[in-house]
Amino acid sequence: EVQLLGSGGGLEQPGGSLRLSCAASGFTFSNYAMSWVRQAPGKGLEWVSSISESGISTFYADSVKGRFTISRDNSKNTLYLQMNSLRVEDTAVYYCTKGRIKESDVFWGQGTLVTVSS
Amino acid sequence: QSALTQPASVSGSPGQSITVSCTGSSSDVGGNNCVSWFQQYPGKAPKLITYEVSNRPSGVSNRFSGSKSGNTASLTISGLQAEDEADYYCSSCTSSGTSYVFGTGTEVTVL
């Protein structure tokens, strides 16, 4: 059974940093690209970032480029999102996904809440 | 990249068919076939229901069907059931092929 368990969320002040983790199990992690998608409270979905299977290629939404860094450790089956210079508008539930958004077997984890507030 | 445009809400009676539209541009929906639809229940993670415009993953009911014409994609739910009451989001890759845009979301209500 595929499982994606997000962690690392919480309350942070504007300008602060957080690192999200997504622990994967139930599939061969290194064979899949991974992504982060967020959803502000009561709002729609927003693609944040994706990373290739090897981790060599990374892609970002303009809204987070230069502030967020996606990475992965294939030996630990874990995906990361380092979030710096946090803004109030970064407040959202952050979902990690197995696979690219367009793929036939994309699967979403349960999400972790990030709140940015003073 | 602006969000794709969806109606805020669509409703129908049990057994009816409804269609949810998703309008973008030639830089996203109209420029490729990587349109997907996701179903989301309150407080839950989204679930894939169609990909590559009109394909269904295994396990998804054939009451869900996707299509596209020009810059507008559509999701049709036939034989509407109470369990179909949820939020639905379209998505498309962009012209770069490496970034994605989602729709604004549609709340489907079964009357």
Side-chain angles (χ1 to χ4, degrees), chain A residues 3-26:
Chain A
Q3 287 197 331
L4 297 170
L5 298 178
S7 61
L11 176 64
E12 183 56 66
Q13 292 187 337
S17 298
L18 281 173
R19 188 176 85 153
L20 304 184
S21 299
C22 174
S25 62

Side-chain angles (χ1 to χ4, degrees), chain A residues 84-101:
Chain A
N84 298 332
S85 302
L86 282 164
R87 304 168 179 168
V88 171
E89 55 265 34
D90 294 322
T91 295
V93 173
Y94 285 73
Y95 295 99
C96 63
T97 78
K98 159 186 162 284
R100 297 173 177 86
I101 304 303

Side-chain angles (χ1 to χ4, degrees), chain B residues 6-69:
Chain B
Q6 298 180 229
S9 62
V10 174
S11 61
S13 300
Q16 285 187 329
S17 292
I18 62 168
T19 296
V20 181
S21 62
C22 169
T23 302
S25 70
S26 57
S27 296
D28 38 63
V29 174
N32 61 74
N33 283 328
C34 54
V35 174
S36 300
W37 286 91
F38 297 90
Q39 177 189 60
Q40 185 182 34
Y41 293 111
K44 301 296 185 181
K47 172 192 168 187
L48 178 69
I49 53 174
T50 70
Y51 66 97
E52 291 177 358
V53 178
S54 59
N55 294 308
R56 271 188 313 275
S58 60
V60 172
S61 171
N62 59 10
R63 298 185 298 104
F64 294 93
S65 61
S67 62
K68 190 185 83 166
S69 176

Side-chain angles (χ1 to χ4, degrees), chain A residues 39 45 47 95 104 108-109, chain B residues 38 40 45 48 51 89 99 102:
Chain A
Q39 185 170 35
L45 301 169
W47 171 76
Y95 295 99
S104 63
W108 299 57
Chain B
F38 297 90
Q40 185 182 34
L48 178 69
Y51 66 97
Y89 292 90
S99 61
F102 283 92

Side-chain angles (χ1 to χ4, degrees), chain B residues 65-91:
Chain B
S65 61
S67 62
K68 190 185 83 166
S69 176
N71 296 336
T72 298
S74 299
L75 174 71
T76 298
I77 309 175
S78 58
L80 199 61
Q81 299 180 1
E83 66 201 49
D84 300 331
E85 193 161 283
D87 293 328
Y88 292 82
Y89 292 90
C90 62
S91 74

